[in-house]
């Protein structure tokens, strides 16, 4: 079999045959395919862990950015000079998050919204 190969490939073929023989000694049933399968499983597990860690990094990075933004807004609000407009009492927002508290709110069917979703 080795004599059929070109001379420059024979050393690599001998190493490959030797590797396969050693793998077959370690795992008589599966040999090299068993090693390949185990390595593929390790790659999949590493990729899953990498994806999980990247998600955690993105989460904590977004949290940190939000904290930094809130700190900047707070420091900006603290550094504003007091004026007559700033001293005036704040008006409540007219935006209501609960549609049922708005008497004029109607659902898509034209009826009044009763607060339930079913």
């Amino acid at each position: 079999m080795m004599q059929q190969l070109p001379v420059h490939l024979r050393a690599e073929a001998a190493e490959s045959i030797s590797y396969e023989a050693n793998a077959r000694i370690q795992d008589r049933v599966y040999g090299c395919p068993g090693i390949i399968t185990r390595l593929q499983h390790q790659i999949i597990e590493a990729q899953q862990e990498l994806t999980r860690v990247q998600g955690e990094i993105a989460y904590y990075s977004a949290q940190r950015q939000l904290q930094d933004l809130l700190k900047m807004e707070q420091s900006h609000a603290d550094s504003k000079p007091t004026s007559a407009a700033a001293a005036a009492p704040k008006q409540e927002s007219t935006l209501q998050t609960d549609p049922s508290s708005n008497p004029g709110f109607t659902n898509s069917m034209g009826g009044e919204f009763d607060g339930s979703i079913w």
Side-chain angles (χ1 to χ4, degrees):
M1 179 167 66
M2 296 288 279
Q3 292 176 349
Q4 295 174 354
L5 292 174
V7 175
H8 68 281
L9 295 177
R10 289 181 185 174
E12 189 175 336
E15 285 180 38
S16 180
I17 291 170
S18 173
Y19 186 82
E20 174 66 37
N22 285 330
R24 190 59 72 174
I25 289 170
Q26 292 174 4
D27 186 346
R28 295 189 185 277
V29 176
Y30 295 107
C32 276
I35 292 171
I36 292 169
T37 301
R38 284 192 300 273
L39 291 173
Q40 286 174 334
H41 285 290
Q42 288 177 355
I43 289 170
I44 291 168
E45 289 172 359
Q47 288 171 334
Q48 289 171 343
E49 183 178 0
L50 176 62
T51 301
R52 181 186 56 79
V53 169
Q54 287 173 332
E56 288 180 13
I57 289 170
Y59 172 78
Y60 289 117
S61 176
Q63 242 185 358
R64 177 64 187 252
Q65 288 176 355
L66 180 60
Q67 288 173 349
D68 291 345
L69 180 63
L70 292 174
K71 285 179 186 177
M72 285 176 40
E73 287 179 355
Q74 182 64 36
S75 67
H76 180 68
D78 291 344
S79 67
K80 281 187 178 178
T82 332
S83 68
K90 291 186 178 180
Q91 294 181 352
E92 287 190 34
S93 172
T94 58
L95 177 64
Q96 296 178 357
T97 56
D98 181 12
S100 63
S101 65
N102 186 346
F105 181 81
T106 57
N107 65 24
S108 63
M109 301 300 281
E112 288 291 322
F113 183 77
D114 65 359
S116 68
I117 60 172
W118 302 109

